[in-house]
Amino acid sequence: MSEETRSETYAELASVGPYGVRPGHALITMVEPHPGHEYAYNRWYEDDHYYAGAMAMPWMYAGRRWVATRELQDLRGPEKSAVARPVTAGCYLSTYWITEGRYDDHMKWTVGINKRLNRDARVHQERTHVFTAFQDHETTVYRDGAAGPRDFHALDHPYAGLILQVIDSEGPGERAELLERLRTRDLPRRLTGSPAAMVTIFRPTPLPGDRMTYVKQVEGVDTRLTLLWFLERDPRECWTDHFTDLETLGAGTGRVELVAPFIPTVPGTDRYVDELR
């Protein structure tokens, strides 16, 4: 394909299809660098992969990295988690928003670029994907109603922390019931007076068959909900007063499989790398 033809293709693609700002989809990926490779992993991800493997892709319009120091890992639960084994696994979390209605377009690009990056030896192998899934947005619950940042601002707003929560249900019907309960009752009640400004809720989607072999297929496609709590305070400062009972959220209609607090990384630095173990 000639340079001119490629340029015309870009112009054509930009002129059609959805182009709103709503985060219709997300990539949520929690990763554990192998012992002894923490610094190398952090530099590779920040200096190359965050951009070449994510932000440079079409329709992925916002991203942010988070880290769990050992102190934060020790706050996690439940002890026997279906997501993280052991529950402390996965000290780095990356979150990305994808334009609503552009998931299929984005996936075609991401599979292609990751094959290329792998072929060009630009993929760090000394890591384990603990929880990696593309997800569809279900709803966002706000503490302050129409005031404050919206969910499409969430990865750019300087939030001081984030809690990743994963809840499983028995089946699709029970998940729908759980979602409605969380949206209308449990989350509004818990957010009142809380340092959490919003909770976004997603449901996982299956990865394509031609995904990278080091990323396992997504579990819980019909039964799981993923919640992201965006905090205005460092979770270490407010955990005891507000979040120690999150493992009971949705009790009766769902089973909490992970509650994991994080703080934002400081891009371009190795801050917190020496606090992971």
Side-chain angles (χ1 to χ4, degrees), residues 210-265:
D210 53 355
R211 69 189 186 280
M212 296 295 98
T213 56
Y214 49 77
V215 182
K216 66 180 181 180
Q217 186 53 273
V218 175
E219 300 173 348
V221 169
D222 296 320
T223 58
R224 178 166 287 177
L225 292 175
T226 304
L227 285 66
L228 298 178
W229 297 67
F230 289 91
L231 311 184
E232 295 175 327
R233 294 172 58 193
D234 186 317
R236 293 169 293 189
E237 300 172 0
C238 55
W239 194 259
T240 301
D241 292 337
H242 294 280
F243 301 114
T244 54
D245 63 344
L246 273 188
E247 290 180 40
T248 66
L249 187 67
T253 52
R255 182 180 65 259
V256 173
E257 292 292 357
L258 183 65
V259 176
F262 292 83
I263 54 177
T265 61

Side-chain angles (χ1 to χ4, degrees), residues 24-29 53-54 57-60 94 96-98 102-111 113-114 129 131-137 202-208 211-212 215-221 224 226:
H25 322 276
L27 170 59
I28 301 171
T29 174
M57 297 191 200
W59 308 114
M60 183 171 272
S94 296
Y96 303 97
W97 290 167
I98 300 168
R102 290 294 190 172
Y103 175 77
D104 291 339
D105 296 337
H106 175 79
M107 286 306 298
K108 287 184 174 64
W109 188 285
T110 194
V111 169
I113 199 65
N114 277 287
H129 281 263
F131 178 73
T132 293
F134 284 89
Q135 313 228 5
D136 287 341
H137 181 256
F202 295 87
R203 55 179 172 82
T205 59
L207 289 167
R211 69 189 186 280
M212 296 295 98
V215 182
K216 66 180 181 180
Q217 186 53 273
V218 175
E219 300 173 348
V221 169
R224 178 166 287 177
T226 304

Side-chain angles (χ1 to χ4, degrees), residues 3-54:
E3 180 95 18
E4 183 178 354
T5 302
R6 280 199 299 271
S7 297
E8 289 301 318
T9 300
Y10 278 115
E12 180 181 346
L13 290 172
S15 68
V16 296
Y19 69 126
V21 299
R22 185 173 183 267
H25 322 276
L27 170 59
I28 301 171
T29 174
M30 186 170 69
V31 172
E32 179 73 10
H34 295 172
H37 295 269
E38 295 87 353
Y39 282 93
Y41 169 79
N42 189 54
R43 291 273 45 85
W44 163 75
Y45 202 101
E46 282 205 345
D47 296 345
D48 190 10
H49 199 63
Y50 177 84
Y51 302 103

